[in-house]
Amino acid sequence: LTGVGITITQDEKTKEITVVSPVEGSPAAEAGIIAKDIIVKIDGKPAKGLDLNEAVGMIRGKVNTKVTLTLKRGNETFDVILTRARIEIHPVKADLRQTPAGPIGYIRLVQFSSNAASEMRTAIREQEKEGAQGFILDLRSNPGGLLFSSAEIARMFLPQGTIVSTVNRQGEADRLRAGRGFLTDKPLVVLIDGGSASASEILAGALQDNKRAILVGTKTFGKGLV
């Protein structure tokens, strides 16, 4: 990607442009931008009243050009000058960690992209071969992504059960279930925070509701499109 490295959304009630989370290692993350920061101005132009695509278009730009974001955090308003950059996103980062409880597989999932499920599958299989006694799945500051990717990853940890259902005015429209692609029944802890949104919340919720994982962290973002 080329830009500053933030995922944004628009609050349905206030219409404010809000940061979901910064991309790890991006100009936005290095500048200290965090989840729930409200973008008040983009290069001095008020952001309120813009639709999401207009805001994205103004924030994006060529590598090495600058953009100034005026942010509101609580009662504080301040400017952040960001230099746009080329940002490489690798959805899965994994390593085996030695702990008093034995070797634990740590897997960080940055976003639910089209190749996230295949990278997750590879990480779990490799860590199982290396003798992982359990897994930590880190979804902190993961803004979400593709629904089918979230469901595929849930199936790796869930032998059966409902992952997510979508309901329309006529009743239930669709239900995604586990039952294929199951890889491990080892103990699982999921790390979440205020930047865990959308597909992250679906995955964490499915694992918790099916009593497959313990969630550790803080209240998630609350982005309920699905």
Side-chain angles (χ1 to χ4, degrees):
L1 302 175
T2 299
V4 300
I6 49 173
T7 302
I8 60 175
T9 190
Q10 190 165 37
D11 188 284
E12 284 187 13
K13 293 177 183 174
T14 65
K15 300 300 180 186
E16 291 172 324
I17 306 293
T18 306
V19 175
V20 178
S21 71
V23 175
E24 212 170 88
S26 69
E30 289 170 5
I33 293 175
I34 60 174
K36 300 282 187 176
D37 281 349
I38 296 166
I39 299 175
V40 181
K41 293 179 184 177
I42 304 166
D43 281 334
K45 182 179 178 179
K48 197 169 183 179
L50 296 175
D51 72 27
L52 207 53
N53 289 330
E54 287 176 317
V56 167
M58 291 171 67
I59 296 169
R60 276 185 183 154
K62 292 181 179 179
V63 172
N64 293 327
T65 59
K66 294 185 186 296
V67 60
T68 301
L69 299 183
T70 304
L71 302 175
K72 184 180 178 187
R73 184 182 300 166
N75 295 321
E76 184 186 5
T77 301
F78 55 95
D79 285 347
V80 177
I81 301 170
L82 301 170
T83 302
R84 299 177 179 103
R86 182 173 170 78
I87 302 158
E88 288 189 24
I89 297 175
H90 302 284
V92 173
K93 300 173 183 179
D95 61 86
L96 196 72
R97 302 191 178 186
Q98 300 302 324
T99 78
I104 301 294
Y106 170 83
I107 304 174
R108 171 141 177 76
L109 183 60
V110 176
Q111 65 172 222
F112 292 85
S113 60
S114 57
N115 56 337
S118 62
E119 289 194 20
M120 176 70 70
R121 192 174 294 111
T122 299
I124 293 170
R125 283 175 173 159
E126 287 180 356
Q127 292 179 349
E128 286 266 74
K129 282 181 188 174
E130 293 171 2
Q133 299 297 302
F135 292 90
I136 294 171
L137 176 58
D138 191 346
L139 298 180
R140 290 175 298 178
S141 294
N142 181 323
L146 301 173
L147 178 63
F148 80 83
S149 175
S150 174
E152 282 298 298
I153 292 168
R155 291 183 179 112
M156 295 174 199
F157 294 102
L158 280 173
Q160 58 188 19
T162 296
I163 298 164
V164 63
S165 60
T166 55
V167 181
N168 60 21
R169 287 186 178 89
Q170 286 72 45
E172 189 168 311
D174 194 21
R175 182 177 288 256
L176 299 180
R177 299 179 183 273
R180 59 181 172 82
F182 179 62
L183 292 180
T184 181
D185 61 357
K186 299 276 174 63
L188 175 64
V189 168
V190 179
L191 305 183
I192 51 173
D193 67 4
S196 305
S198 195
S200 290
E201 294 172 299
I202 288 170
L203 177 57
L207 294 171
Q208 183 184 53
D209 288 355
N210 285 287
K211 298 181 170 53
R212 177 63 184 89
I214 293 171
L215 307 189
V216 176
T218 57
K219 186 177 178 181
T220 57
F221 188 87
K223 187 180 176 188
L225 294 183
V226 175

